[in-house]
Each structure stands twice: as structure tokens, then as C-alpha cells.
Amino acid sequence: MIYCVEDERNIRELLVYTLETTGFHAKGLTDGNELWEALKKEIPELILLDIMLPGEDGYRILEKLKSASATRDVPVIMVTAKEAEYDKVRGLEGGADDYITKPFGMMEFVARVKAVLRRCGQKSSEDKMLGCGEISVFVKKHEVRCRGIKVELTRKEFELLQYLLENKGIVLTRNQILCRIWGYDFDGETRTVDVHVRTLRQKLGEEGNLIETVRGVGYRIGG
């Protein structure tokens, strides 16, 4: 998923259309408020960010993205009409991965998007990161951080959180969780899942509320 944060409707729709027709999934957002709401539901692969936005400008949004554990590793391309070298330097030093000046050709635009995703994909392959809200899970390091603070989990709690995040927004039944985390031959009852979810929520503090109980079915995160 790629988020396109652009307040000009024509440009926003053109960017989304171009990305969709070249094989990407994209969503258009008009300002920072819509971006923050979208991030609660899904962390994208890439954010295209205009600078001149109503409310928070792109620089302020970029600063907040890079200071939050869940989004600091999400690549950002600044897309703007500002051509001054100062503006470009400010964006790149603020953590942007690229800077595209309007107007630009769509072929160049897609090529720049692919290049950033390729570079960031190579870096992220060192340690896959999953996230939701202020929860960040670094799979290879087997590390969980909540609001930037490291959280100690048991192996099963970690695997449970990872499984939920890998299926963000999807309701997983207790049996699905049992089969995935404990194996098909596990003799315990589904109550085991409930106990682990409860302790996981407690360890995650306020962010534990992101794990939702779907009555009579199971659990999901980021629904």
C-alpha cells in the first residue's frame, strides 16, 4: 500500500491512478489528519507527501513520522512544487528518501517510486518490521517496542503478536491461532489463546487495546 498525501484533487487522483495501473495499491489522502487516521489501520510501504498542505505542512508531518517507532522506517518521497535547493535539503535532511518537484512525468514518477522501494526493501530485508499504532515488532531481532520502549515477551506471546500483525485487520479464530502458534497436535483448549492474549495486552499497556476481541470468533489487531 502507498499513501498519497496531496490536497489538490486532480494531482492526488492522477498519482493514485498511475500507481494503480502500474501494479501498486494506493490510497489518496488530503491532509495530515487523514494520514494519521489511515496509519492507525495500516502502515504503508511508502508515503508520497506534499509539502504545502492545509493544517500541518509536509515538513511537520515528516518530522512526526520519523519520530514515531511505528513509522520511522516507512520511506517517504516529498512531492512538491517547491524548487528551491533549501527546500530539497530540508526535506532530505528531515528523513525523506527522495524529493520530486512538480511538474514531473509519470514514467519518471513511477521509476522514482520503484527505486525508493527497492532501496528500502534491501535495507528492510535485514530485519522485517511489523507495526500497528505505537507497536513495532522486529522479527529477526525478536524484539518488540511499544512507544519506543522495549517490551519483554515470551516466545509464544511474540509469535502470537507477530501472527496478528501479519494478518492486520483480519479476524483470526482461536483454532487458527492454536494451529499456527502451538501446532496441529496441541492438546490444550482454546482457553490457552485467551490467556496469552490477556497477558500480551497487559504487557503492551494502552496499545494492548489494539488487539480486539471479536465475540464468538477470535481476535484481530488494527481492524
Side-chain angles (χ1 to χ4, degrees), residues 17-137:
Y17 173 78
T18 300
L19 290 168
E20 293 279 356
T21 55
T22 50
F24 295 103
H25 293 294
K27 182 175 183 178
L29 306 166
T30 61
D31 56 23
N33 289 333
E34 288 193 4
L35 174 62
W36 305 130
E37 287 300 312
L39 288 170
K40 292 177 183 178
K41 300 177 182 178
E42 182 177 4
I43 303 296
E45 296 177 87
L46 173 70
I47 296 173
L48 301 170
L49 182 60
D50 187 21
I51 291 178
M52 302 298 289
L53 293 169
E56 291 182 302
D57 67 19
Y59 294 128
R60 176 57 180 154
I61 293 173
L62 177 64
E63 180 183 349
K64 290 171 70 174
L65 287 169
K66 294 305 176 181
S67 63
S69 59
T71 55
R72 67 166 59 107
D73 294 322
V74 176
V76 177
I77 298 178
M78 308 299 281
V79 183
T80 179
K82 285 179 169 285
E83 299 181 1
E85 182 180 9
Y86 166 78
D87 293 306
K88 294 181 181 180
V89 171
R90 183 179 176 186
L92 294 172
E93 289 189 344
D97 295 88
D98 202 353
Y99 193 109
I100 303 177
T101 304
K102 304 172 187 175
F104 48 82
M106 288 299 103
M107 290 180 64
E108 176 194 357
F109 166 68
V110 172
R112 301 274 282 271
V113 166
K114 289 181 177 179
V116 168
L117 288 172
R118 187 163 55 248
R119 290 200 306 270
C120 294
Q122 290 170 350
K123 289 189 291 185
S124 65
S125 65
E126 298 174 4
D127 189 7
K128 177 182 177 184
M129 194 276 277
L130 302 170
C132 183
E134 291 295 323
I135 301 171
S136 299
V137 173

Side-chain angles (χ1 to χ4, degrees), residues 4 60 79 90 106 108 169 174-175 184 187 196:
C4 302
R60 176 57 180 154
V79 183
R90 183 179 176 186
M106 288 299 103
E108 176 194 357
R174 289 173 174 81
N175 283 330
Y184 287 94
D187 294 326
H196 278 74

Side-chain angles (χ1 to χ4, degrees), residues 115-162:
V116 168
L117 288 172
R118 187 163 55 248
R119 290 200 306 270
C120 294
Q122 290 170 350
K123 289 189 291 185
S124 65
S125 65
E126 298 174 4
D127 189 7
K128 177 182 177 184
M129 194 276 277
L130 302 170
C132 183
E134 291 295 323
I135 301 171
S136 299
V137 173
F138 301 91
V139 177
K140 290 189 178 181
K141 290 194 292 186
H142 211 272
E143 180 178 299
V144 175
R145 290 188 174 273
C146 189
R147 300 182 184 272
I149 300 172
K150 190 174 181 180
V151 179
E152 297 294 339
L153 300 181
T154 66
R155 184 166 65 88
K156 291 302 183 187
E157 289 166 353
F158 182 91
E159 292 174 355
L160 171 59
L161 180 58
Q162 179 183 344

